[in-house]
């Protein structure tokens, strides 16, 4: 009975979404209904960070694909390791929502692991290329998802109406339900059929070459990146995308300060009509927690609909995720020769 009540509570929590109206789980039709069915079957419960993107179905499908294929499908690394990476990345991005979900899942996996315990993070330089590809894909997934959650969802996956005394048991039950699915191995790559054909055949871009240690993972990331790039091109002019890419190259994704003056300085270079979505994209990439009602209201005044908001934010979140994982992979490559000289 508890899993049924939990799934209903998580579905209802989608009503707490900010700024956009996702397809309601009970009334979703077509592609959205199919996606929701797949998520609940493979993840154990609906994943609001994916479902909230349903106004732009291609972004929802791409986000589910990278989540499923990197985190849920068995590989050379243990699921506990991957959940530990998901939790650590979410903490680094100040995403309490994802920390709550994946911390609870990690705790349930640990409790069911026959005493194996939570794996200590291994130094990246000690991993094989295939292991680095798998854990790097999890990192990329959550660099992407954390930013979208910070923009579109509240701080907790539990519905706001849930009273305090039941929140702890619901949180633990969420982790237990997701962890239970982990004991049923999923077949790889079935979600790739959700991507457009041209995305499924996309070459691996230079910034994702670090994933070639595991060719399956590299193919998944290339397809997802191509699908999100195409979505971003539908919502954002090239000038906005170039601004975000140049900003990330120059400044990275580290803290930008408590204010938003830095954003205004950069978007001032854009035509006035492009500044609202440019501001949303730049904030999502660099400081997603700073996206506010005024940011979205300006986009609405400029004519942006729900699909435009999702596509702009999803593209910016993926751009930041790709930048961060490529930078980290480059750091490992610099370390490896030194390690080899010491042996």
């Amino acid at each position: 009975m508890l899993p049924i009540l939990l799934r209903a509570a998580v579905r209802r929590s989608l009503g707490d979404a900010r700024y956009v109206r996702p397809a309601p789980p009970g009334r979703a039709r077509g592609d959205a209904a199919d996606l929701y069915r797949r998520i609940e079957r493979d993840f154990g419960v609906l994943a609001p960070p994916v479902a909230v993107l349903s106004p732009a179905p291609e972004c929802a499908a791409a986000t589910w694909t990278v989540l499923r294929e990197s985190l849920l499908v068995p590989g050379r690394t243990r699921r506990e390791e991957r959940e530990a990476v998901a939790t650590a990345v979410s903490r680094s991005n100040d995403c309490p929502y994802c920390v709550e979900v994946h911390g609870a899942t990690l705790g349930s996996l640990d409790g069911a692991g026959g005493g194996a315990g939570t794996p200590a993070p291994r130094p990246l330089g000690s991993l094989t290329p295939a292991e680095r590809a798998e854990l790097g894909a999890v990192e990329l997934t959550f660099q992407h998802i954390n930013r979208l959650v910070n923009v579109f969802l509240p701080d907790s996956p539990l519905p706001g109406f849930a009273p305090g005394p039941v929140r702890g048991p619901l949180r633990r039950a969420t982790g237990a339900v997701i962890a239970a699915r982990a004991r049923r191995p999923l077949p790889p790559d079935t979600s790739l059929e959700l991507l457009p054909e041209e995305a499924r055949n996309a070459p691996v871009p230079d910034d994702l070459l670090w994933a070639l240690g595991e060719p399956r993972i590299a193919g998944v990331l290339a397809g997802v990146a191509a699908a999100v790039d195409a979505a971003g091109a539908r919502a954002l002019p090239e000038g906005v995308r170039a601004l975000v890419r140049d900003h990330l190259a120059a400044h990275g994704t580290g803290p930008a300060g408590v204010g938003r003056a830095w954003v205004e300085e950069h978007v001032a270079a854009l035509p006035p009509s492009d500044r609202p979505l440019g501001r949303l994209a730049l904030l999502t990439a660099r400081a997603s927690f700073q996206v506010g009602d005024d940011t979205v209201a300006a986009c609405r005044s400029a004519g942006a609909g729900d699909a435009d908001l999702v596509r702009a934010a999803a593209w910016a979140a993926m751009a930041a995720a790709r930048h961060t994982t490529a930078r980290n992979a480059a750091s490992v490559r610099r370390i490896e020769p030194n390690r080899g000289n010491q042996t």
Side-chain angles (χ1 to χ4, degrees):
M1 178 62 72
L2 183 57
I4 295 173
L5 294 174
L6 173 65
R7 291 188 187 101
V10 173
R11 281 178 161 222
R12 287 188 66 183
S13 75
L14 197 58
D16 294 332
R18 295 191 292 251
Y19 308 133
V20 296
R21 289 188 177 184
R27 299 194 296 277
R29 297 292 182 269
D31 290 345
D34 177 56
L35 181 63
Y36 290 2
R37 178 186 60 79
R38 288 170 182 259
I39 295 170
E40 290 187 326
R41 179 194 67 199
D42 291 348
F43 195 52
V45 293
L46 187 66
V50 176
V52 77
L53 308 178
S54 59
E58 72 277 30
C59 294
T63 301
W64 168 242
T65 296
V66 75
L67 176 64
R68 182 191 190 275
E69 302 301 330
S70 69
L71 184 70
L72 309 185
V73 172
R76 299 170 189 267
T77 53
R78 296 169 57 204
R79 175 68 179 272
E80 289 90 339
E81 284 186 283
R82 284 175 268 148
E83 289 288 352
V85 170
T87 305
V89 171
S90 299
R91 284 201 181 99
S92 73
N93 287 327
D94 295 320
C95 182
Y97 187 109
C98 292
V99 169
E100 192 168 340
V101 172
H102 295 281
T105 303
L106 181 58
S108 292
L109 288 167
D110 181 17
T118 300
R122 287 187 281 165
L124 288 175
S126 72
L127 301 173
T128 68
E131 290 170 334
R132 283 206 297 268
E134 287 186 358
L135 297 183
V138 176
E139 180 191 4
L140 182 144
T141 296
F142 283 88
Q143 293 288 355
H144 173 65
I145 286 177
N146 292 162
R147 288 170 167 80
L148 295 172
V149 168
N150 284 342
V151 173
F152 293 121
L153 289 172
D155 287 345
S156 173
L158 301 178
F161 60 80
V166 306
R167 297 183 76 83
L170 277 176
R171 186 180 303 112
R172 290 189 292 274
T174 302
V177 168
I178 297 172
R181 282 293 194 272
R183 293 188 282 274
R184 305 180 198 172
L186 296 176
D189 301 341
T190 62
S191 60
L192 290 178
E193 65 193 24
L194 299 172
L195 302 179
E197 183 176 357
E198 59 272 21
R200 295 198 298 270
N201 297 320
V204 180
D206 289 348
D207 64 327
L208 296 176
L209 291 177
W210 54 263
L212 287 175
E214 178 49 73
R216 185 189 77 81
I217 289 292
V220 168
L221 297 187
V224 168
V228 175
D229 275 348
R234 295 181 64 180
L236 297 171
E238 173 55 28
V240 171
R241 286 175 284 141
L243 173 70
V244 173
R245 288 191 295 262
D246 291 347
H247 182 87
L248 292 174
H251 302 284
T253 59
V258 295
R260 293 190 294 183
W262 64 273
V263 180
E264 301 309 317
E265 176 185 347
H266 290 285
V267 300
L270 296 171
S273 60
D274 293 345
R275 290 174 192 168
L277 281 174
R279 187 179 295 110
L280 172 65
L282 197 53
L283 282 170
T284 300
R286 183 89 189 274
S288 53
F289 58 89
Q290 289 187 333
V291 172
D293 295 349
D294 57 336
T295 312
V296 176
C299 294
R300 294 288 192 191
S301 295
D306 281 10
D308 300 309
L309 296 176
V310 169
R311 288 174 182 137
W315 178 85
M318 182 59 72
R322 291 170 62 175
H323 172 86
T324 300
T325 49
R327 180 199 62 196
N328 290 345
S331 297
V332 172
R333 288 196 298 272
R334 287 194 294 270
I335 292 169
E336 285 183 324
N338 294 331
R339 188 187 64 190
N341 291 335
Q342 293 170 357
T343 59

